[in-house]
Amino acid sequence: ASAEAQSRFEAVVANEQRVEPRDWMPDAYRATLVRQIAQHAHSEIIGMQPEGNWLTRAPSLRRKAILLAKAQDEAGHGLYLYAAAETLGVDRAELTEKLIDGRQKYSSIFNYPTLTFADVGVIGWLVDGAAICNQVPLCRCSYGPYARAMVRICKEESFHQRQGYELLMTLMAGTEGQRRMVQDAVDRWWWPSLMMFGPPDGASPNSERSMAWRIKRHSNDELRQRFVDMTVPQAEILGVTLPDPALAWNEERGSWDFGEPDWSELMQVIKGQGPCNAQRIDRRRAAHEDGAWVREAASAYAAKHGRKGS
Ligand code: ACO
């Protein structure tokens, strides 16, 4: 690259402008974006599975319609994100192969089972709440197509978060058994939700460079803290206890102190050894293989259509 292209890139980033697909960019910047956007897209697609588990068992037609709409939104998010990744010169089919082969990651959070319908509410409240905290700053990411995709995704995520909270409020106003079900789901999802933000800053190899490039705007620990501060008052209103004895208001910092997540658990899940990793990938692979005829038919149709048009 010419020194001029390099300095133009640096100026765009420094001046809070957007880098666009046709602009010159450093190879490592491109590779970081492909890595992060692909992982993000894969997370949206794999994330449909834990909730999909409850589609046929939702307790009412209303709850089923809501859950179906949410799962469809997630498919849409995955597609916007694959399209954003493709602007960097990669191919969606290749990214899917890498996911299925275990060469690319997806969020640790989707490797935990959904044991009761309360889990659907807790995923909305905590998992989508954490996703919003992490993703709102990505609307200001230096790479234009990713930043723009995030604007719409964040709007839909905040709807998902509210539907989860509303579901939990309804359960909490129900029977003693329903309240216990909510507390049990909160106990199981709290720590994995904190782990979604990634390893602590000292063990996050990508953060510094991604922040310098203004892909990431805040460190993993900063966003984790923001999530805890946002969530504690919501837990109080809901009437549940967050399973962390170290949780305490810190007057000096104006923030909640909280305990240390079990980082060895996060590393195990990222390595593929979480409770549902094998099942999630097997199911994704089967869906991909079962869908081969759709892709073939769509390509045949496009080829025929193209010929007619020419
Ligand atoms: N699950 C799986 N892998 C993770 C997680 C996690 N919760 N947190 C970190 N990792 C991986 C990173 O991808 C990285 O591995 P890699 O270098 O092979 O890609 C490694 O652990 C070290 O982490 P960091 O250096 O902190 O990585 P990074 O700077 O990419 O930060 C983060 C991780 C915060 C997840 C970032 O990639 C991000 O903001 N991504 C976009 C949001 C996203 O993907 N959300 C998906 C879940 S939300 C949803 O879909 C509803």
Side-chain angles (χ1 to χ4, degrees):
S2 68
E4 198 200 339
Q6 175 83 36
S7 67
R8 203 175 320 125
F9 168 82
E10 279 162 17
V12 165
V13 172
N15 296 331
E16 296 286 338
Q17 291 163 317
R18 298 282 168 263
V19 178
E20 295 297 340
R22 289 200 191 89
D23 297 343
W24 180 87
M25 61 189 88
D27 290 342
Y29 175 85
R30 186 185 298 275
T32 294
L33 282 165
V34 169
R35 176 183 67 77
Q36 179 167 326
I37 301 173
Q39 276 179 22
H40 195 165
H42 298 329
S43 303
E44 298 283 357
I45 299 297
I46 296 279
M48 294 161 74
Q49 291 187 36
E51 292 174 314
N53 187 34
W54 286 93
L55 279 177
T56 55
R57 291 180 286 155
S60 68
L61 185 59
R62 176 170 173 267
R63 292 292 172 196
K64 184 171 176 146
I66 293 170
L67 190 55
L68 256 177
K70 179 176 188 256
Q72 285 176 342
D73 285 352
E74 276 147 15
H77 297 174
L79 297 184
Y80 311 148
L81 288 164
Y82 284 126
E86 285 190 323
T87 66
L88 292 157
V90 291
D91 178 59
R92 179 174 146 202
E94 172 198 326
L95 299 178
T96 301
E97 291 298 332
K98 287 186 172 161
L99 167 67
I100 290 172
D101 292 351
R103 282 178 289 152
Q104 280 179 345
K105 300 184 168 85
Y106 59 91
S107 180
S108 53
I109 194 72
F110 301 118
N111 294 301
Y112 293 86
T114 41
L115 303 182
T116 71
F117 195 70
D119 290 31
V120 170
V122 170
I123 288 176
W125 175 40
L126 297 180
V127 175
D128 297 328
I132 293 167
C133 260
N134 167 269
Q135 292 173 20
V136 165
L138 293 174
C139 298
R140 293 186 295 118
C141 166
S142 58
Y143 187 59
Y146 190 31
R148 290 187 289 271
M150 291 318 301
V151 173
R152 178 151 176 193
I153 291 176
C154 285
K155 287 188 179 149
E156 293 181 350
E157 289 296 353
S158 62
F159 159 70
H160 295 172
Q161 203 250 0
R162 279 148 197 254
Q163 76 76 36
Y165 200 70
E166 189 267 349
L167 194 167
L168 296 177
M169 286 293 249
T170 306
L171 283 173
M172 291 304 285
T175 64
E176 193 44 46
Q178 286 172 318
R179 278 190 286 278
R180 267 202 308 275
M181 204 163 87
V182 174
Q183 183 61 55
D184 168 66
V186 170
D187 290 346
R188 284 181 291 106
W189 288 92
W190 173 249
W191 293 106
S193 299
L194 292 186
M195 293 175 198
M196 286 174 69
F197 294 92
D201 292 351
S204 165
N206 300 300
S207 279
E208 198 179 317
R209 201 167 56 166
S210 289
M211 284 169 69
W213 277 329
R214 301 194 177 168
I215 294 173
K216 284 169 86 161
R217 294 289 176 152
H218 307 281
S219 75
N220 298 356
D221 286 332
E222 278 166 19
L223 293 173
R224 198 172 358 255
Q225 178 73 60
R226 195 177 281 188
F227 172 69
V228 171
D229 290 346
M230 176 181 101
T231 308
V232 171
Q234 295 173 352
E236 276 167 17
I237 293 168
L238 200 54
V240 295
T241 310
L242 297 173
D244 179 358
L247 209 54
W249 177 248
N250 184 321
E251 192 67 54
E252 227 166 90
R253 292 198 305 120
S255 263
W256 288 85
D257 289 336
F258 59 100
E260 190 78 7
D262 178 355
W263 299 121
S264 65
E265 177 180 322
L266 174 64
M267 290 309 141
Q268 286 297 107
V269 177
I270 293 180
K271 271 194 278 172
Q273 275 135 34
C276 301
N277 293 62
Q279 181 191 326
R280 300 290 187 242
I281 289 294
D282 285 352
R283 204 162 284 166
R284 182 70 195 88
R285 184 181 298 114
H288 187 62
E289 286 166 4
D290 292 347
W293 70 272
V294 179
R295 293 189 295 278
E296 280 160 24
S299 309
Y301 179 81
K304 198 165 136 191
H305 207 70
R307 265 205 309 277
K308 257 196 238 157
S310 64

